[in-house]
Amino acid sequence: MVTIRAGRRKDFPRLAEIELDAFVVWAEACGVTQEPVSAPVFLLEQSLDEELLLVAEEAGRVVGFTLGLNEGGTLYIVEVDVERAAQGRGVGTSLILAMLDRGRERGFAKVALTTDRYVPFNAPFYTRLGFRILEAAETPAFLRRRLKAQIDSGLDPERRVAMLKSL
């Protein structure tokens, strides 16, 4: 059984392990060849300070996390990762649903993210949870900057999309 709880500073090393482990699956699905990196500590700290860092535990072991930030009044989901051994069991869904609840509790009207258009556990997954792909003209500036940085880092511009959900 998965339990979702607020992240803690002492979780940071484990979150980096999970992110690097999950990168293998994502990189293979997206055809990415770049070297894996984990979220910088300052980003984890910012998310923690904003009370938007959630972790999933199974039997007392952290197996996944989601990292959110307040981007001008919109909840931006920066990262969602589940270690390979725990994938396919609803951990990612539990994390996203908990983050949506957290967003509502904190008074956010919208939640946004960037993701891969085609991989089943990316845009199609988020679409099932009520997110929609944004057209370029309606994409907020902060998401356009995020997409540009992702594309500049080598990700395929045809595959990258911004998504939004009203809460």
Side-chain angles (χ1 to χ4, degrees), residues 74 88 108 111 118 132 157:
T74 297
F108 289 100
V111 60
Y118 303 113
R132 67 181 180 84

Side-chain angles (χ1 to χ4, degrees), residues 45-108:
E45 288 174 345
Q46 183 181 351
S47 182
L48 182 68
D49 291 346
E50 293 179 8
E51 299 177 1
L52 296 172
L53 181 65
L54 301 177
V55 300
E57 286 185 333
E58 281 185 331
R61 176 177 168 77
V62 176
V63 297
F65 73 99
T66 184
L67 184 162
L69 295 175
N70 180 347
E71 284 283 353
T74 297
L75 171 55
Y76 175 58
I77 298 176
V78 178
E79 192 73 39
V80 180
D81 287 302
V82 176
E83 72 178 353
R84 285 181 282 177
Q87 290 177 1
R89 299 197 315 251
V91 175
T93 299
S94 295
L95 282 164
I96 292 296
L97 293 176
M99 186 61 86
L100 296 177
D101 287 343
R102 175 65 53 96
R104 285 184 200 94
E105 292 165 7
R106 301 281 312 280
F108 289 100

